[in-house]
Amino acid sequence: MKKTIKILTAIFFSAVATIVVGQNNRVLADDETPVVTLGTSLTDSQKDGTLKILTAPLNGGNYQTITVTGSDLVRYLNPSGDNFTTSSGVWSSAMIQKTSSGSGINVKILDYNGKNNITTITANQYKNAALTAGITDANIYVTSAIPIDGSGALAGVYAAYAKNGNALNQKQVNAAQDEMNTLSGITQDNKDKKGYSDAQLNNAVAGAKSEMAKQGQNISDSQIRDIVNNQININHLGNTINNNQKNQIVNLLIEIRDSGALKSSSFKGQASKLSSQIENSAKNIFNKFNTPENRSWLQQLWDSIVNFFSHMFGGVILG
């Protein structure tokens, strides 16, 4: 299992919008040298610019490159509902860097010539999808030379992994891709709505995954629905997430359970780590939840009860 995770981490995000690993490239399982993926549709100038952007965090360190093409998009993404062809263009690119155990999945979308060209998928959505796919402990940098939605972000991982002779779980492949489509769709539907942010949604999903992992592979559909309702409330999304969107999240998490993702021993820890990362990176949003004005009436009632008995018994509450 440890070797499997290492393979996946070393080659994750082989490209971001429409991405796949080229037929003639191979990433060694035990080589933790950072990997830069370059879309085959890039011009020479775009390729040079992409390399400069993605390798800047390495400060002159070594890296290896792989080229990505369109053919594997059909194999890995079309089963989840996409409609790619072997001639689909590939511009999005990424750099993947293995990190220490327990550091979690970190994703940063980098500007190309001063502009973020990943138009739909957010960094947090990529993190959640990576978790579903089984990725752990990696820094992932993403950029694109042209504006593109980023919907093919995981294709390169699956293609490169398969080329190393490992069997892929197509259910997990589909679940990760469906997750990005679902979360990006909900964010687009709620764009600019007061009380909604992509960070809240992805934190709710990461929290739900962590709770699901605690209960294990045999968790029921109704238990998953209860978890989703709880996470929506915890993240103050009750006034923005409608019933249809809630059902989409429930169905997605059921698919993730059925894919076998919960069987991973590291899934719970990585999900919990992801939630912490999301909250830390969006403190301006999550700090507002803990103010008296934003606490629910039930929380405020409980605080009143605690304060009442605290004063009655001289500040001592027995638990």
Side-chain angles (χ1 to χ4, degrees):
M1 181 62 186
K2 183 176 180 181
K3 185 176 181 181
T4 298
I5 296 300
K6 188 178 293 184
I7 296 170
L8 281 169
T9 301
I11 47 132
F12 174 66
F13 263 71
S14 276
V16 177
T18 39
I19 51 178
V20 278
V21 177
Q23 298 291 332
N24 297 321
N25 295 282
R26 185 182 183 91
V27 179
L28 298 179
D30 294 322
D31 189 352
E32 294 185 359
T33 302
V35 178
V36 176
T37 71
L38 296 172
T40 189
S41 302
L42 293 169
T43 65
D44 289 342
S45 176
Q46 290 172 337
K47 189 177 296 184
D48 290 342
T50 298
L51 275 171
K52 183 178 179 180
I53 292 167
L54 290 176
T55 60
L58 299 177
N59 297 316
N62 294 330
Y63 62 89
Q64 56 182 310
T65 62
I66 55 177
T67 301
V68 298
T69 69
S71 60
D72 286 327
L73 289 170
V74 175
R75 177 179 179 184
Y76 294 107
L77 301 187
N78 284 7
S80 65
D82 288 300
N83 296 297
F84 294 104
T85 69
T86 56
S87 60
S88 292
V90 184
W91 291 270
S92 299
S93 304
M95 192 269 284
I96 309 92
Q97 182 181 34
K98 185 78 174 68
T99 56
S100 59
S101 178
S103 59
I105 303 163
N106 299 279
V107 177
K108 187 171 184 179
I109 298 176
L110 304 176
D111 288 351
Y112 189 94
N113 288 340
K115 182 181 178 182
N116 175 13
N117 285 327
I118 305 300
T119 61
T120 303
I121 308 299
T122 67
N124 286 330
Q125 291 165 16
Y126 286 129
K127 292 176 187 178
N128 256 314
L131 172 61
T132 297
I135 311 303
T136 64
D137 303 322
N139 288 334
I140 302 160
Y141 301 88
V142 174
T143 196
S144 178
I146 67 169
I148 201 160
D149 67 357
S151 62
L154 296 180
V157 183
Y158 311 137
Y161 183 48
K163 284 176 174 54
N164 279 289
N166 297 279
L168 291 173
N169 180 343
Q170 188 63 48
K171 288 184 177 180
Q172 241 175 294
V173 171
N174 292 349
Q177 191 64 22
D178 286 343
E179 180 168 14
M180 286 204 301
N181 291 336
T182 297
L183 299 188
S184 63
I186 293 175
T187 286
Q188 288 299 310
D189 290 343
N190 291 285
K191 190 176 182 180
D192 300 325
K193 281 188 179 180
K194 184 178 180 180
Y196 177 88
S197 70
D198 180 75
Q200 289 166 259
L201 174 64
N202 278 274
N203 193 51
V205 172
K209 290 177 181 177
S210 180
E211 291 300 316
M212 288 168 59
K214 291 177 183 178
Q215 298 194 41
Q217 184 66 32
N218 294 324
I219 186 172
S220 67
D221 292 3
S222 62
Q223 288 174 315
I224 291 177
R225 183 171 293 277
D226 289 341
I227 287 173
V228 169
N229 286 329
N230 184 49
Q231 285 296 325
I232 286 175
N233 290 332
I234 289 174
N235 287 277
H236 292 252
L237 291 170
N239 293 328
T240 52
I241 296 294
N242 60 41
N243 286 333
N244 179 55
Q245 292 164 346
K246 186 186 296 183
N247 287 334
Q248 290 179 46
I249 297 170
V250 171
N251 291 335
L252 170 65
L253 293 173
I254 289 173
E255 181 183 4
I256 290 173
R257 177 202 63 192
D258 293 343
S259 75
L262 298 181
K263 294 178 181 178
S264 169
S265 60
S266 64
F267 189 89
K268 181 175 68 174
Q270 290 290 307
S272 179
K273 181 68 176 181
L274 175 53
S275 179
S276 297
Q277 290 173 342
I278 293 173
E279 292 185 13
N280 288 334
S281 65
K283 288 183 178 179
N284 60 320
I285 295 174
F286 291 99
N287 284 346
K288 295 177 182 178
F289 296 163
N290 295 320
T291 63
E293 297 80 15
N294 286 305
R295 292 174 67 83
S296 69
W297 70 268
L298 187 58
Q299 290 171 318
Q300 294 180 48
L301 176 61
W302 175 250
D303 288 344
S304 297
I305 294 172
V306 171
N307 289 333
F308 173 78
F309 283 104
S310 178
H311 289 301
M312 180 178 291
F313 294 106
V316 177
I317 295 293
L318 301 178

